[in-house]
Amino acid sequence: MIIRAKQNTTVEEFERLKQTIINMGLQVKDVSGETFKVLGVIGDTSKIDERALYANPAVGEITRIQSPYKKASKVFHPDPTIIDVKGVKIGGGNFTVMAGPCSVENHDQILECANAVKASGANILRGGAFKPRTSPYAFQGLELEGLELLKEARKETGLPIITEIMSEDMIPQFVKDVDIIQVGARNMQNFHLLKALGKIDKPILLKRGLSATIEEWLMAAEYIMAGGNEKVILCERGIRTFEKYTRNTLDLSAVLAVKELSHLPVVIDPSHSAGKWSMVEGLSQAALAVGADGIIVEVHNDPEHALCDGAQSLKPKAFDDMMKKLKLIAPIVDKVMK
Ligand code: PEP
Ligand code: MN
């Protein structure tokens, strides 16, 4: 970290600033020139709260050299992390497909969807049991009954299951029943939840918040990893922009950014990005081409009557067609689809 002092800083103020940094257990190197007073800070600067430091009257500008996250950073872990979910590998050259309905609605619906996505080559079954709906009057999910139905679908198909957690009190149940715990976009900065998830041994799929920067998203991953759980999969699901034609704007460059900054696997959710089923195939192909480690995609046996997100759900046939194309593209972009 480099700290440039304000132009008119006195020698006493500059010395006081140096001492403040030293008192934090860090080393300082005075690299002042003729016109500027500058300090180089050496050590673990992740503990420095920049905002608090700006309260010091001598501080003009702070420039970070290292990222504020450590465990999520590629600097300390150059090799890509590969997460094993019951034999399904996520990361490291694999393109993993998680598919299923937005919500578990009833026995026949989830079983039909699960069997269909399995037959088309999906690796993991998705399905929401607890739904974070914008309206409190909208379908909130089958909750525990939904979880039981997901488990039944897992038993029948052999596909591991991913579903969204809402709060800390559900963790024991999810640890017992679920293969990947999804943290939804709306909970990305629920720091209590993230800390609690850091203490368990279960893969976490962390969706990017609706308006989160890439750094905020990686810091959210850091919250989980700091507690000891390093099995984090990032998921870009579209961000809020001025554009209204699509539900969100898929930030494809976020995949490349994460690959530059972190060793964690990153997948794309084309369904919540577009909000329209007709765009899902194109965005999934783009996910593959840009180097994502997989996709999480909504598939429904009867989208017109879906209780949630029917407009963005692929029918099984469209999913099957898409999978065939993805499998053709995968070897060209050095990805393995199993
Ligand atoms: C979902 O995956 O069903 C979901 C609610 O996604 P997000 O958190 O990205 O909105
Ligand atoms: Mn959905």
Side-chain angles (χ1 to χ4, degrees), residues 25 51 134 290:
R51 281 174 198 275
T134 302
V290 84

Side-chain angles (χ1 to χ4, degrees), residues 102 126 131-132 164 182 184-186 207 237 269 272 298 309:
C102 179
R126 69 147 285 153
K131 295 305 301 176
E164 181 170 352
Q182 177 174 329
R186 290 154 192 83
K207 287 199 155 193
R237 46 78 73 201
D269 176 343
H272 291 87
E298 289 184 340
D309 288 349

Side-chain angles (χ1 to χ4, degrees), residues 130-325:
F130 299 85
K131 295 305 301 176
R133 305 304 298 277
T134 302
S135 164
Y137 308 115
F139 174 59
Q140 303 287 308
L142 294 184
E143 305 189 335
L144 290 177
E145 189 193 336
L147 211 48
E148 286 307 313
L149 293 175
L150 266 180
K151 283 161 65 182
E152 211 177 313
R154 171 174 62 195
K155 204 168 169 197
E156 184 160 321
T157 58
L159 293 176
I161 52 175
I162 174 168
T163 196
E164 181 170 352
I165 196 162
M166 297 298 211
S167 53
E168 213 182 318
D169 56 299
M170 294 176 182
I171 291 178
Q173 177 98 40
F174 273 58
V175 167
K176 186 166 66 71
D177 287 345
V178 168
D179 302 304
I180 305 177
I181 300 179
Q182 177 174 329
V183 175
R186 290 154 192 83
N187 260 327
M188 189 206 84
Q189 283 188 319
N190 181 341
F191 297 121
H192 270 281
L193 176 62
L194 301 179
K195 276 189 192 175
L197 292 171
K199 297 196 189 105
I200 61 171
D201 181 23
K202 185 71 79 175
I204 310 293
L205 180 129
L206 178 65
K207 287 199 155 193
R208 182 177 179 184
L210 276 65
S211 301
T213 64
I214 290 165
E215 187 170 290
E216 286 165 341
W217 186 24
L218 289 169
M219 286 304 280
E222 190 78 10
Y223 259 92
I224 301 169
M225 299 175 84
N229 184 0
E230 305 204 351
K231 295 177 189 163
V232 179
I233 305 150
L234 298 164
C235 176
E236 159 63 36
R237 46 78 73 201
I239 50 172
R240 280 263 164 95
T241 67
F242 53 82
E243 184 52 66
K244 290 267 190 280
Y245 190 71
T246 47
R247 183 173 179 181
N248 291 291
T249 298
L250 175 61
D251 183 5
L252 274 179
S253 59
V255 172
L256 297 167
V258 166
K259 293 282 172 203
E260 281 180 15
L261 298 167
S262 179
H263 53 90
L264 295 174
V266 54
V267 303
I268 276 180
D269 176 343
S271 312
H272 291 87
S273 301
K276 296 178 197 297
W277 68 267
S278 57
M279 294 186 178
V280 168
E281 182 180 301
L283 295 182
S284 299
Q285 291 181 7
L288 187 49
V290 84
D293 297 293
I295 47 173
I296 177 162
V297 53
E298 289 184 340
V299 178
H300 197 289
N301 56 334
D302 183 11
E304 277 175 59
H305 297 102
L307 296 180
C308 185
D309 288 349
Q312 65 195 35
S313 299
L314 292 178
K315 287 183 184 166
K317 165 83 172 74
F319 177 69
D320 194 62
D321 291 345
M322 178 178 95
M323 288 293 281
K324 287 194 174 104
K325 288 188 198 160

